Amino acid sequence: MGGAVCLVAMTIMTCADVVGRYLGHPILGSVEIAGFMATMAAALALPYTHRMRGHIGVEVVVRLLSQRTQAAIGLCTNTLAFLMFAVISWRMANYAETMRRSGEVSISLEFPEHTIIYITAFCFLILTLNLLEDVLKDVNTLMGKK
């Protein structure tokens, strides 16, 4: 939902900026705002898309395998994804804190960029927790539990 709101807002703002430029009144910082909104759209959509199984997957062959084999494959891929996004979330939070301490702001609007990085790190943390849940489900399936 949040990602869709960002996309709609980005579209409206871009259209308003184009009209404003034509009339001689462009929107100050529109490029920065569009970049921030694009980042937010992707970050906010990622956990939801994973939860809804909306990602493209190559499951043509995997679906033909037994439930147990599917769980073993899922355990491997979900564990790797969990570890990767756990590290990414942690490093992004560290990076946001470094940016906050340095006082780094965007060029035109002087918006504190660490805010966007913190939100993105939080979204990745939610995705990491979703992946952990998938890992635990795969382990339960392999152990014969539902």
Side-chain angles (χ1 to χ4, degrees), residues 11-146:
T11 302
I12 292 169
M13 192 224 29
T14 301
C15 291
D17 185 47
V18 168
V19 171
R21 285 180 192 276
Y22 180 75
L23 299 174
H25 299 288
I27 297 174
L28 176 68
S30 62
V31 174
E32 283 180 9
I33 295 169
F36 291 148
M37 281 197 246
T39 301
M40 297 298 298
L44 291 168
L46 198 58
Y48 176 78
T49 303
H50 177 76
R51 171 64 70 196
M52 296 295 122
R53 303 286 184 236
H55 294 293
I56 296 171
V58 183
E59 298 180 1
V60 175
V61 176
V62 175
R63 282 191 283 165
L64 300 175
L65 304 173
S66 71
Q67 185 85 9
R68 191 166 170 82
T69 305
Q70 288 180 31
I73 292 170
L75 179 62
C76 291
T77 57
N78 288 327
T79 300
L80 289 172
F82 165 75
L83 293 171
M84 181 182 76
F85 277 102
V87 170
I88 290 171
S89 300
W90 165 56
R91 295 304 302 158
M92 283 191 80
N94 285 350
Y95 178 59
E97 182 59 20
T98 300
M99 295 287 281
R100 187 191 65 76
R101 276 196 236 122
S102 72
E104 188 80 24
V105 294
S106 65
I107 295 171
S108 298
L109 299 176
E110 297 184 3
F111 181 80
E113 294 176 346
H114 68 272
T115 306
I116 302 297
I117 301 168
Y118 272 127
I119 293 169
T120 303
F122 180 74
C123 291
F124 283 3
L125 175 63
I126 299 301
L127 175 62
T128 302
L129 295 174
N130 284 339
L131 288 163
L132 178 61
E133 181 183 21
D134 291 346
V135 167
L136 296 175
K137 284 179 185 175
D138 291 333
V139 168
N140 282 337
T141 300
L142 285 172
M143 293 176 64
K145 300 175 185 174
K146 281 282 177 173

